Amino acid sequence: MKNTEGGNSYGSLLIEKAKHDSKKAGFNNLHLCTDHVSFYEKYGFNYIGQGHHPWGEESRIYQISL
Protein backbone atom coordinates (compact mmCIF):
# COMPACT_ATOMS: atom_id res chain seq x y z
CA MET A 1 0.00 0.00 0.00
CA LYS A 2 1.37 3.39 -1.02
CA ASN A 3 0.34 6.78 0.24
CA THR A 4 -0.05 9.89 -1.90
CA GLU A 5 3.50 11.02 -1.07
CA GLY A 6 4.95 7.90 -2.67
CA GLY A 7 5.99 6.15 0.57
CA ASN A 8 4.59 3.18 2.39
CA SER A 9 1.75 3.93 4.78
CA TYR A 10 2.89 1.40 7.38
CA GLY A 11 3.00 4.05 10.12
CA SER A 12 -0.63 4.95 9.52
CA LEU A 13 -1.67 1.29 9.48
CA LEU A 14 0.14 0.58 12.76
CA ILE A 15 -1.39 3.63 14.44
CA GLU A 16 -4.89 2.66 13.32
CA LYS A 17 -4.37 -0.90 14.60
CA ALA A 18 -3.13 0.39 17.99
CA LYS A 19 -6.13 2.72 18.24
CA HIS A 20 -8.57 -0.05 17.31
CA ASP A 21 -7.06 -2.56 19.75
CA SER A 22 -6.90 0.02 22.58
CA LYS A 23 -10.53 0.98 22.12
CA LYS A 24 -11.56 -2.67 21.92
CA ALA A 25 -9.74 -3.25 25.24
CA GLY A 26 -11.85 -0.52 26.84
CA PHE A 27 -9.44 2.41 26.86
CA ASN A 28 -10.65 5.95 26.13
CA ASN A 29 -7.23 7.39 25.26
CA LEU A 30 -4.00 6.20 23.69
CA HIS A 31 -0.66 7.64 24.85
CA LEU A 32 2.79 7.36 23.37
CA CYS A 33 6.29 8.57 24.16
CA THR A 34 8.65 9.56 21.34
CA ASP A 35 11.48 11.83 20.31
CA HIS A 36 9.74 12.61 17.00
CA VAL A 37 8.42 16.12 16.47
CA SER A 38 5.60 16.86 13.98
CA PHE A 39 4.99 13.23 13.04
CA TYR A 40 2.15 12.08 15.29
CA GLU A 41 0.27 15.39 15.11
CA LYS A 42 -0.71 14.59 11.52
CA TYR A 43 -2.48 11.49 12.86
CA GLY A 44 -4.49 13.47 15.41
CA PHE A 45 -2.26 13.10 18.47
CA ASN A 46 -1.87 16.06 20.81
CA TYR A 47 1.41 16.88 22.55
CA ILE A 48 0.76 16.94 26.31
CA GLY A 49 4.25 17.38 27.78
CA GLN A 50 7.75 16.09 28.42
CA GLY A 51 8.22 12.77 30.17
CA HIS A 52 11.19 11.63 32.22
CA HIS A 53 12.25 7.99 32.00
CA PRO A 54 13.72 6.11 34.99
CA TRP A 55 17.00 5.76 33.06
CA GLY A 56 17.38 9.55 32.86
CA GLU A 57 16.22 10.31 29.32
CA GLU A 58 13.32 12.53 28.29
CA SER A 59 10.77 12.16 25.53
CA ARG A 60 7.63 13.85 24.28
CA ILE A 61 4.26 12.48 25.44
CA TYR A 62 1.30 12.45 23.07
CA GLN A 63 -2.36 11.54 23.55
CA ILE A 64 -5.31 10.83 21.30
CA SER A 65 -8.93 10.22 22.32
CA LEU A 66 -10.41 7.03 20.99
Side-chain angles (χ1 to χ4, degrees), residues 14-36:
L14 288 170
I15 290 169
E16 289 304 314
K17 177 67 172 155
K19 288 170 52 179
H20 171 78
D21 289 352
S22 297
K23 187 170 186 166
K24 186 176 175 183
F27 293 97
N28 295 318
N29 296 293
L30 177 62
H31 296 88
L32 63 87
C33 296
T34 184
D35 293 333
H36 295 288

Side-chain angles (χ1 to χ4, degrees), residues 32-37 41 47 49-51 58-62:
L32 63 87
C33 296
T34 184
D35 293 333
H36 295 288
V37 177
E41 289 92 338
Y47 172 73
Q50 279 300 110
E58 293 184 19
S59 65
R60 299 171 64 83
I61 302 172
Y62 288 89

Side-chain angles (χ1 to χ4, degrees), residues 1-13:
M1 175 180 235
K2 297 279 186 180
N3 68 22
T4 57
E5 297 172 355
N8 294 315
S9 59
Y10 297 129
S12 177
L13 292 172

